[in-house]
Amino acid sequence: MTDSKPYTPPEVWTWEAPSGGKFASINRPIAGPTHDKELPIGKHPLQLYSLATPNGQKVTILLEELLAAGHTGAEYDAWFINIGDGDQFGSGFVDVNPNSKIPALMDRSGAEPIRVFESGSILLYLAEKFGAFVPTDDPAKRAECLNWLFWQMGSAPYLGGGFGHFYAYAPEKFEYPINRFTMETKRQLDVLDRQLADHPFIAGDDYTIADIAIFPWYGGLVKGWLYDDSARFLDAASYTNVLRWADKILERPAVQRGRMVNRASGDPAKQLRERHDASDFETRTQDKLEAAQ
């Protein structure tokens, strides 16, 4: 379908009506808090405030991988931020991330707390803090890892805010934006498929934060977890190298755990809305909490 009512932009745009669509209630053209609300602080040095969107999953997957690799200093409290209710606009959250986006992290392990926001920044910060999942002894390998990490940060907005919005969330469907962002999304999948044709992991022979960053978005896309029936629409099955890689990543127990943290949709047995201890995966999933009520 094409838009039969051409839009002529005004000389100066003003915010006069909701934007429409699924997220209209939380979209606004100004920053800053809308209400006073302090963030909770748990027992661990790392305090994560997040939701299990693809961006949120990146950080919980890395934290679980670090713990699985024996980095006990990576123990963390994960607090649930309901973006649909506007939790990200509370004063405490804005203090941690002035951009009001999840995930946001506070590292309280040192003399002074350190705030870290934007998912790619958090991944790099944690990988360097613990000396894991990012190459440190080979400049070429490190550069390749960071190339792909930043590829994801630059590319995924076209997938999420572009394709995902117009295909699944916009109040009306129009041919031009869907075609425009479908073409870009398929191009990105082809970029990954060609890279993975010659490498077991995104940046080469080793599993790194590049894989952790890319998997929730593009692995989720080809596995059919994102945007209704978009995997069929995009012919995701044709990207065989991406599918092989996504299945390999999904076999990792830390990835399976990381995908559960701060989740509030899907199978209740796979939802761990808050995580404060490793035992929570066995005792505090949503199905168990509901059964105990």
Side-chain angles (χ1 to χ4, degrees):
M1 184 174 75
T2 58
D3 188 352
S4 60
K5 299 177 181 178
Y7 171 65
T8 302
E11 287 189 23
V12 179
W13 184 88
T14 57
W15 185 31
E16 297 177 350
S19 61
K22 182 175 180 180
F23 300 104
S25 63
I26 61 171
N27 289 336
R28 60 195 184 113
I30 55 175
T34 60
H35 58 282
D36 290 329
K37 185 177 181 180
E38 293 303 309
L39 291 174
I41 300 174
K43 62 183 179 180
H44 298 300
L46 298 176
Q47 299 293 302
L48 178 67
Y49 306 95
S50 193
L51 180 69
T53 66
N55 284 335
Q57 289 175 41
K58 299 175 196 176
V59 179
T60 49
I61 287 172
L62 177 56
L63 287 166
E64 291 297 327
E65 290 282 14
L66 288 167
L67 291 170
H71 297 281
T72 57
E75 269 293 356
Y76 67 104
D77 292 279
W79 302 94
F80 182 72
I81 298 297
N82 190 330
I83 62 175
D85 288 349
D87 290 350
Q88 70 276 30
F89 299 119
S91 57
F93 191 92
V94 174
D95 285 343
V96 180
N97 184 356
N99 197 36
S100 291
K101 302 288 184 181
I102 62 91
L105 178 76
M106 286 294 292
D107 182 355
R108 298 180 174 275
S109 62
E112 295 293 334
I114 298 173
R115 73 177 187 181
V116 195
F117 59 89
E118 297 299 325
S119 58
S121 176
I122 297 173
L123 292 184
L124 186 56
Y125 176 85
L126 291 173
E128 291 187 331
K129 178 181 177 72
F130 293 101
F133 302 109
V134 62
T136 57
D137 56 355
D138 186 323
K141 289 183 178 180
R142 176 179 173 80
E144 188 69 0
C145 174
L146 297 187
N147 288 340
W148 288 103
L149 173 65
F150 286 97
W151 176 89
Q152 186 279 317
M153 297 298 291
S155 297
Y158 291 96
L159 167 56
F163 172 77
H165 175 77
F166 287 105
Y167 180 80
Y169 299 142
E172 297 180 73
K173 296 191 187 305
F174 296 111
E175 182 178 6
Y176 174 76
I178 291 175
N179 281 349
R180 166 68 180 86
F181 290 110
T182 297
M183 184 180 299
E184 174 60 14
T185 297
K186 288 181 69 66
R187 189 194 69 81
Q188 292 174 5
L189 286 170
D190 194 44
V191 169
L192 291 176
D193 205 62
R194 291 168 184 264
Q195 173 69 5
L196 289 165
D198 300 319
H199 304 91
F201 296 105
I202 292 293
D205 294 332
D206 300 319
Y207 175 67
T208 69
I209 55 173
D211 299 282
I212 293 171
I214 293 169
F215 171 77
W217 281 106
Y218 296 90
L221 186 65
V222 298
K223 295 296 290 182
W225 300 332
L226 303 184
Y227 312 128
D228 301 328
D229 197 24
S230 63
R232 182 168 64 174
F233 179 74
L234 294 166
D235 189 23
S238 67
Y239 302 99
T240 55
N241 297 311
V242 181
L243 277 165
R244 181 266 308 160
W245 165 81
D247 287 338
K248 185 179 183 68
I249 301 297
L250 192 56
E251 291 174 356
R252 302 177 68 91
V255 172
Q256 297 169 26
R257 291 193 299 274
R259 292 188 67 242
M260 293 173 62
V261 179
N262 296 143
R263 180 172 294 279
S265 61
D267 182 357
K270 300 297 184 182
Q271 297 179 33
L272 183 62
R273 298 197 180 180
E274 288 190 3
R275 188 266 192 214
H276 304 290
D277 187 84
S279 64
D280 290 345
F281 290 100
E282 301 298 326
T283 63
R284 295 190 60 80
T285 52
Q286 196 63 19
D287 60 325
K288 294 182 175 64
L289 295 179
E290 291 175 0
Q293 292 179 352

